[in-house]
Amino acid sequence: MIGAADTTISPAAIHLNSNESVYGPSPHAAAAARAAVAGIERYLEDPDAALAPAIARRFGLQADLITIGQGSDDLLARLARAYLGPGTELMRSVNGYLKVPNYAYANDAALISVPDDNFKPSVDRMIAAISERTRIIYIASPENPAGTYLSGVELRRLHAAMPNDALLVIDSAYEEYVDAPDYEPAHKLVEESGNVVMCRTFSKIFGLAGARVGWAYGPDDVIDTLRRIALTFPVASPSAAAAIAALEDHAHTSFVRSANLGSRTWLTSELEGLGLQVVPSQANFVLVKFPNPEKTAEAADAALRARGISVRRFASPAFHDFIRITIGRPEELRACVAVISSFLIGDG
Ligand SMILES: Cc1ncc(COP(=O)(O)O)c(C=O)c1O
């Protein structure tokens, strides 16, 4: 019978599984999106003209080197479509962002997955793996699902070893959450080189994941190529209006950033206090290892789910003993820690 309710599964009440912002967007962004619905019968003709100047102002960038996409995944997919093909290679760190292998497969390119060091990309091994077929080296900094990052020095060392005809794609989706002093925003390397592209998003700290707006910053020839292969009218007008308003609300992003930093530190120390191992994170999530074979990550996930808390597990064997928890609101994290704690001491 279609539509029979499954009473054994209740919908999750607390979503800590997709690294969305639990604080939502700026209220000005939501209001701007609602107001833009009044003109929804029209296409947004030129999302770059609408959004790039506001992005450039907020981050101190050159507007003409920015192009907008339907989320940063759209731009990553376009980069792959433009620069990969049979006989070429896409290099990435083996436990990095899980969408990236698809970009190689979809374009008949070879995927080179380079072993990491405790989930941190290994610059030495990546340099050693460069070949004349390397067309894209993809680095997310911070990485997802681990939250690790590369320092400015390490990224520059990788870039310096690359041939000019290979593109370094730096996915900075979580840049706004970083507090490591040796992190260097990727736009500097973009501006100094002819073969570095940075991808950014409104899905994370700006709280607009459902609006689907991302952007790329890169050399003019690369940005020109990305524009040429874009979908016609790729960005919805209410989404663009929301993004522009979100950029202007500095107070909202400052609040989210500091709330995330405080909660990330709190959650890390609580979980470590329970005997779990937390991969040091620079993002809005933590990857947590359950080292006791009698108290597995899989069982912890089930215990959380049974109490309406959804976190993320991954199919890859490297993540077998791990769950990833998005940094939620303090009360959500307290609930999450309470469930894990009683699961570990046996009455969960
Ligand atoms: C590393 C990384 N890159 C890109 C994305 C995609 O973001 P968007 O919503 O902008 O497509 C995500 C989303 O989780 C991500 O974790």
Side-chain angles (χ1 to χ4, degrees):
M1 190 175 92
I2 294 172
D6 182 349
T7 50
T8 62
I9 302 173
S10 52
I14 299 180
H15 294 273
L16 304 178
N17 55 349
S18 284
N19 304 339
E20 295 138 337
S21 175
V22 291
Y23 297 101
S26 155
H28 301 297
R34 278 193 295 273
V37 171
I40 205 157
E41 72 279 6
R42 309 195 60 163
Y43 292 118
L44 177 62
E45 288 271 350
D46 187 349
D48 288 359
L51 267 157
I55 292 172
R57 243 189 336 272
R58 166 90 191 229
F59 298 108
L61 307 177
Q62 285 175 239
D64 55 327
L65 301 183
I66 295 171
T67 193
I68 314 297
Q70 224 174 73
S72 53
D73 258 338
D74 168 25
L75 295 155
L76 294 169
R78 275 194 251 163
L79 283 165
R81 192 145 49 89
Y83 293 98
L84 298 178
T88 67
E89 294 175 352
L90 164 61
M91 189 193 299
R92 58 127 195 188
S93 184
V94 66
N95 294 307
Y97 184 40
L98 290 143
K99 282 287 288 204
V100 172
N102 298 341
Y103 299 136
Y105 305 146
N107 294 288
D108 299 318
L111 176 70
I112 307 296
S113 294
V114 178
D116 59 15
D117 295 318
N118 295 323
F119 296 109
K120 182 177 163 177
S122 164
V123 168
D124 287 330
R125 287 191 211 104
M126 291 186 111
I127 291 174
I130 292 172
S131 81
E132 70 280 3
R133 292 175 301 281
T134 307
R135 281 296 163 280
I136 291 182
I137 297 184
Y138 169 91
I139 286 280
S141 185
E143 258 299 1
N144 174 21
T148 52
Y149 75 104
L150 286 184
S151 70
V153 169
E154 290 168 301
L155 257 186
R156 284 174 181 274
R157 193 158 67 81
L158 174 61
H159 175 251
M162 289 174 57
N164 288 336
D165 65 352
L167 207 53
L168 178 59
V169 175
I170 305 174
D171 182 343
S172 309
Y174 300 96
E175 174 161 306
E176 293 89 348
Y177 297 108
V178 172
D179 68 340
D182 59 351
Y183 180 86
E184 182 186 338
H187 64 82
K188 296 190 184 158
L189 201 50
V190 170
E191 286 162 1
E192 291 166 22
S193 339
N195 63 339
V196 180
V197 182
M198 166 180 80
C199 292
R200 298 273 292 270
T201 185
F202 284 89
S203 299
K204 306 301 173 183
I205 203 161
F206 290 101
L208 290 169
R212 310 303 302 126
V213 189
W215 51 282
Y217 190 56
D220 48 13
D221 59 317
V222 176
I223 295 301
D224 182 54
T225 301
L226 290 177
R227 286 182 181 135
R228 285 172 195 274
I229 62 170
L231 290 175
T232 315
F233 313 128
V235 180
S237 46
S239 297
I244 292 168
L247 285 165
E248 283 161 15
D249 193 343
H250 291 253
H252 183 74
T253 42
S254 303
F255 161 72
V256 177
R257 175 180 158 81
S258 74
N260 184 75
L261 288 179
S263 293
R264 189 172 75 201
T265 306
W266 181 84
L267 181 63
T268 301
S269 95
E270 290 290 313
L271 295 172
E272 287 177 345
L274 294 172
L276 303 175
Q277 293 161 13
V278 183
V279 179
S281 171
Q282 285 290 305
N284 67 339
F285 53 85
V286 288
L287 186 66
V288 188
K289 181 172 188 180
F290 287 70
N292 178 352
E294 286 168 12
K295 294 286 178 183
T296 63
E298 189 181 2
D301 179 38
L304 287 161
R305 215 160 277 276
R307 284 157 188 80
I309 301 175
S310 84
V311 296
R312 184 71 82 199
R313 294 235 320 128
F314 300 96
S316 155
F319 294 103
H320 183 262
D321 298 333
F322 292 84
I323 60 174
R324 190 195 65 194
I325 306 174
T326 298
I327 305 297
R329 291 174 177 272
E331 64 275 18
E332 295 174 325
L333 296 179
R334 279 196 294 275
C336 182
V337 167
V339 172
I340 293 175
S341 171
S342 56
F343 161 75
L344 290 172
I345 60 172
D347 63 356

